[in-house]
Amino acid sequence: MLKKGNTLHFINRLDESNCGDRVVCPLPYYYDFFKQYRIIRHDMRFIDYDSIDGSDVVIIGGGGMFDYAEFTNRGINRVLDTGATVIAWSPGFNTHTEYCGTFKTKIKFDRFAAVTVRDFHNDYGLDYLPDVTCKLPGLKKQYMEKRMFGIARHKDYPIRGFSYDTITNDQSLEDILRFIGETEIVISNSFHMIYWSLLMGKRTICADPFSSKFYSYKYKPTYFNTQKDKLQSCVEQAQNYQILEESLEATDKFFEQVRQLIEARLEPMRDQWRGYELITKEAVHRELFRETQMQEGDLLAPQLFIDTGDGFTEKQKLIAINSVYGDELHTVRFDLSNFQNIQALRFDPIESRYCEVEICTAKTKGGAVTLTAWTAVRAGTWDKFLCTDPQYGILTPCSEFLEITFRLRLMTLFDSERTICNYVEFHRENERQLREQLEEKDIQSASQTAQLEQRDTWISDLTAHLKQQDIRLNSLTAELEERTVQLNSLTVELEQRDIRLNSLTMELEERDVRFNGLTAELEERNTQANDLTTALEERNAQLDEVMERLALENMRVAHQDEQIQALYHSKSWKLTAPLRAVVNFFRKFKKGDGENGAG
């Protein structure tokens, strides 16, 4: 018979679709020691507080459990308040930037019997311990590298802009470690895949970190903003580390501390029928059951869907995880500063539950906002929803932020069915009253119909008269169109004649210009002829004068020649010798004068 409370509890996130969450608990790595005790596993979201006794030992971790949300911090404090010996085995701080307000409650770290965190630097000065998954045997296996770049991404957060080989963290552990081992440079946005890559000595790049947990590594990856940074620059900064043995040594050393705490508080009482697989499956099934049975302290997770032109989709929404079911009042604040062209908003206070909601206040940067309940019945200030998907439509323009304060109460299936029946009965009564009103309207309508028939007759007469007027108007229109055609024809002919007249005018002007040119040339030539005639007359006068002089000269020469001939024929030679010389001279002169005259 087991003693009450003589139990070892393990609390971490049990998410079968996330490889890191599947293997982050210390239980499987030191199971040979833990199996001698009665063991209960808990999912972090649905802790079975009633099963934890003050004499028990509780190990919280690993995973990003601290400062994740209001309900996780409250849950951890509630475990600490049981009086059990609580050990924090390298859980981590995990505040997501995407969530609108995560936590207000502070964890009571002073109540832990031993506390370590996976955050090398933390605001509380807590001791650092590597994540327990450094104990995975596959991290020591050697692989032949097949690719330079590989993307190992979180299943819920894509890494866009690359065409490299990709694996997601919902795959098997064996496939993930093989993928990392065969890759030279790992690009990732999964905490554990980055951690395992660093432990395997790979150059590692953390792409678009979305939580504080990515900055907590002792040996850091290179951080990469896919919208701003250049990949090559990040590759040059990335380092290889040899840190596996250091991590294993620190983890084994902390286990010895845990062993001492457990052995001092628990008595070995192993249940031979409860092996590791059964313990884990039991916790998973308990989680699945609890997801349908909301209790005080559970996560409420209101959502705001944003329509920027493509309607309401899962890709365009904000989640507020600071609300805890059971609180009297809930206040959520959604940051809208990163959204452009917001056309409409939809507020979902809870998922998959019948409920009634009272909106206390709603405001944005510009002031108050009106929320309209869909598929709900109004009861005073409360909206009783008729389905398990309560929604509020928001058509008021919102900017910068939207803050909503509300109350929420769950409804049983009976209450919801009764609400629906009352709603149906209410509408049936309304329908009966409407039918009576319609009958009265029908009587009034009959009277109005008779009046309308009289008016129809008058309208028919007017219509016939209008038709005659239309015929006459059509005839006049046709005549007008015919005359318009004639006028257009005459206009075209006139334009053609204008063109011809312009052409003839231009030709006449060209001939006038040519005639004026010829007249000027003729006058110029007449002037030249007159000048030549005058010059000719002057030369003729000069020639006559020369001829007269020549005739006189010839007469004088002839007379002298006669005298010379007489002397030449004289009988006295001596007397005539000088005369002969003179005669010869004149003969030469005459001959030369004759040649000159011929010239």
Side-chain angles (χ1 to χ4, degrees):
M1 187 70 178
L2 295 176
K3 295 181 180 180
K4 181 181 179 182
N6 195 11
T7 305
L8 177 60
H9 301 265
F10 288 87
I11 300 175
N12 68 290
R13 177 73 176 96
L14 293 175
D15 183 357
E16 291 297 299
S17 67
N18 185 317
C19 186
D21 289 338
R22 287 200 301 267
V23 298
V24 76
C25 179
L27 176 59
Y29 306 109
Y30 299 97
Y31 185 67
D32 286 342
F33 170 74
F34 293 136
K35 68 183 181 181
Q36 62 184 310
Y37 301 101
R38 179 173 183 259
I39 299 172
I40 297 178
R41 293 195 69 180
H42 305 257
D43 182 271
M44 182 62 223
R45 295 180 304 167
F46 307 114
I47 301 171
D48 184 5
Y49 301 101
D50 293 337
S51 69
I52 303 175
D53 187 77
S55 63
D56 293 344
V57 174
V58 180
I59 296 178
I60 295 179
M65 301 165 62
F66 291 165
D67 291 352
Y68 171 72
E70 180 68 14
F71 85 101
T72 57
N73 283 12
R74 287 193 194 182
I76 292 169
N77 284 346
R78 188 171 174 181
V79 172
L80 292 168
D81 290 340
T82 63
T85 300
V86 183
I87 301 168
W89 191 318
S90 65
F93 293 91
N94 184 19
T95 303
H96 281 230
T97 54
E98 66 177 315
Y99 295 145
C100 304
T102 52
F103 62 92
K104 298 177 182 177
T105 298
K106 299 295 183 181
I107 297 173
K108 303 170 184 177
F109 289 110
D110 58 328
R111 294 195 180 182
F112 282 95
V115 56
T116 59
V117 292
R118 69 186 186 184
D119 304 79
F120 187 67
H121 295 292
N122 58 84
D123 294 337
Y124 300 91
L126 303 175
D127 291 339
Y128 165 75
L129 181 68
D131 184 275
V132 72
T133 57
C134 66
K135 296 287 291 182
L136 288 169
L139 295 173
K140 293 184 177 181
K141 188 175 180 180
Q142 298 298 316
Y143 298 88
M144 181 179 295
E145 291 182 349
K146 296 183 178 180
R147 65 187 69 86
M148 182 174 184
F149 292 100
I151 295 178
R153 72 170 182 83
H154 194 288
K155 60 186 176 65
D156 299 326
Y157 298 91
I159 298 177
R160 297 184 174 87
F162 300 102
S163 58
Y164 304 129
D165 293 345
T166 300
I167 195 168
T168 54
N169 66 339
D170 56 355
Q171 304 297 309
S172 70
L173 176 64
E174 180 182 1
D175 290 342
I176 290 174
L177 294 183
R178 182 187 302 109
F179 182 88
I180 294 174
E182 294 174 350
T183 305
E184 179 182 348
I185 301 171
V186 178
I187 302 172
S188 179
N189 61 356
S190 161
F191 177 89
H192 279 105
M193 289 199 284
I194 291 174
Y195 180 57
W196 298 335
S197 177
L198 294 170
L199 291 174
M200 295 176 76
K202 302 295 181 178
R203 286 192 287 170
T204 310
I205 295 174
C206 176
D208 297 331
F210 55 83
S211 167
S212 61
K213 64 184 178 182
F214 292 104
Y215 302 97
S216 66
Y217 301 101
K218 180 179 180 180
Y219 299 95
K220 297 185 180 301
T222 299
Y223 298 100
F224 175 44
N225 185 320
T226 57
Q227 301 298 318
K228 299 179 181 179
D229 299 334
K230 293 183 178 179
L231 179 61
Q232 184 60 37
S233 177
C234 294
V235 170
E236 293 172 356
Q237 298 175 32
Q239 301 181 49
N240 302 95
Y241 300 107
Q242 301 300 322
I243 57 176
L244 180 57
E245 293 303 323
E246 173 189 327
S247 301
L248 292 172
E249 182 180 351
T251 301
D252 289 340
K253 182 177 180 180
F254 184 70
F255 166 70
E256 294 302 324
Q257 182 181 349
V258 172
R259 177 202 291 268
Q260 294 175 14
L261 287 170
I262 293 175
E263 290 177 342
R265 289 164 174 78
L266 297 181
E267 179 181 351
M269 300 181 66
R270 182 186 177 190
D271 184 352
Q272 299 294 332
W273 300 101
R274 290 172 54 81
Y276 172 78
E277 292 296 331
L278 179 60
I279 295 168
T280 301
K281 288 181 179 179
E282 180 185 59
V284 171
H285 286 298
R286 191 186 308 114
E287 171 196 356
L288 294 174
F289 172 75
R290 280 283 288 108
E291 284 183 340
T292 64
Q293 305 293 321
M294 180 167 280
Q295 298 178 8
E296 289 190 6
D298 287 350
L299 174 66
L300 199 59
Q303 301 177 85
L304 183 71
F305 290 82
I306 300 97
D307 178 8
T308 57
D310 298 325
F312 297 118
T313 66
E314 290 293 323
K315 295 181 180 180
Q316 293 274 71
K317 72 176 183 179
L318 298 172
I319 304 175
I321 60 173
N322 61 319
S323 296
V324 177
Y325 179 66
D327 287 354
E328 173 65 20
L329 202 63
H330 306 280
T331 298
V332 292
R333 184 182 178 92
F334 300 99
D335 182 6
L336 302 176
S337 59
N338 293 326
F339 295 91
Q340 303 294 326
N341 191 31
I342 297 177
Q343 299 183 12
L345 300 171
R346 193 189 84 199
F347 174 59
D348 294 8
I350 195 172
E351 285 278 321
S352 305
R353 296 288 189 274
Y354 288 111
C355 66
E356 53 182 346
V357 178
E358 179 187 31
I359 302 296
C360 302
T361 62
K363 61 183 179 181
T364 186
K365 181 181 179 181
V369 174
T370 300
L371 275 66
T372 303
W374 296 342
T375 63
V377 176
R378 191 75 169 177
T381 58
W382 289 78
D383 298 305
K384 293 187 175 184
F385 286 91
L386 307 177
C387 63
T388 57
D389 188 17
Q391 299 176 358
Y392 283 92
I394 305 169
L395 298 178
T396 306
C398 297
S399 62
E400 299 297 330
F401 69 90
L402 175 62
E403 183 177 284
I404 303 172
T405 301
F406 65 98
R407 292 184 175 88
L408 182 143
R409 294 195 294 250
L410 293 183
M411 298 170 60
T412 64
L413 179 60
F414 173 76
D415 289 337
S416 63
E417 290 177 346
R418 182 171 59 183
T419 301
I420 293 172
C421 289
N422 292 339
Y423 176 77
V424 172
E425 186 62 30
F426 172 77
H427 279 276
R428 283 178 178 173
E429 178 61 23
N430 281 346
E431 183 180 1
R432 186 188 62 80
Q433 294 177 4
L434 286 173
R435 284 179 179 175
E436 291 179 354
Q437 293 175 5
L438 285 174
E439 290 176 358
E440 293 179 1
K441 294 290 185 183
D442 287 342
I443 295 172
Q444 296 176 2
S445 177
S447 175
Q448 292 175 351
T449 300
Q451 296 176 5
L452 288 174
E453 289 176 352
Q454 293 177 355
R455 293 187 179 182
D456 287 343
T457 302
W458 179 63
I459 290 174
S460 297
D461 294 339
L462 290 176
T463 302
H465 178 68
L466 287 175
K467 287 181 179 179
Q468 293 177 356
Q469 296 293 331
D470 287 341
I471 293 171
R472 183 180 178 187
L473 178 61
N474 291 337
S475 175
L476 292 174
T477 302
E479 184 179 353
L480 179 61
E481 290 176 352
E482 183 179 353
R483 293 190 178 182
T484 301
V485 171
Q486 294 175 355
L487 178 61
N488 291 337
S489 176
L490 292 174
T491 301
V492 171
E493 183 178 355
L494 180 60
E495 290 175 351
Q496 292 176 350
R497 292 187 177 182
D498 287 342
I499 292 171
R500 185 178 177 187
L501 178 61
N502 292 335
S503 176
L504 292 173
T505 301
M506 291 175 63
E507 184 178 354
L508 181 59
E509 290 175 351
E510 290 176 358
R511 292 187 177 184
D512 288 342
V513 171
R514 185 179 177 187
F515 178 74
N516 291 336
L518 292 174
T519 301
E521 183 178 356
L522 181 59
E523 291 177 353
E524 182 179 352
R525 290 187 178 181
N526 288 336
T527 302
Q528 293 176 357
N530 293 333
D531 293 342
L532 292 174
T533 300
T534 303
L536 181 60
E537 291 176 352
E538 290 178 356
R539 290 193 178 182
N540 288 333
Q542 293 175 358
L543 180 60
D544 292 340
E545 183 180 352
V546 169
M547 293 300 291
E548 290 177 359
R549 290 174 59 189
L550 182 60
L552 292 174
E553 186 64 28
N554 288 335
M555 290 175 64
R556 185 179 63 82
V557 170
H559 178 68
Q560 289 177 352
D561 189 44
E562 289 177 357
Q563 290 177 352
I564 291 170
Q565 287 295 328
L567 290 175
Y568 182 74
H569 291 288
S570 170
K571 297 213 189 254
S572 177
W573 180 256
K574 292 182 179 180
L575 292 173
T576 60
L579 181 60
R580 285 195 302 270
V582 173
V583 170
N584 287 335
F585 171 78
F586 277 105
R587 283 179 177 174
K588 292 179 180 179
F589 175 79
K590 183 177 179 181
K591 185 179 181 180
D593 185 58
E595 289 175 357
N596 290 332

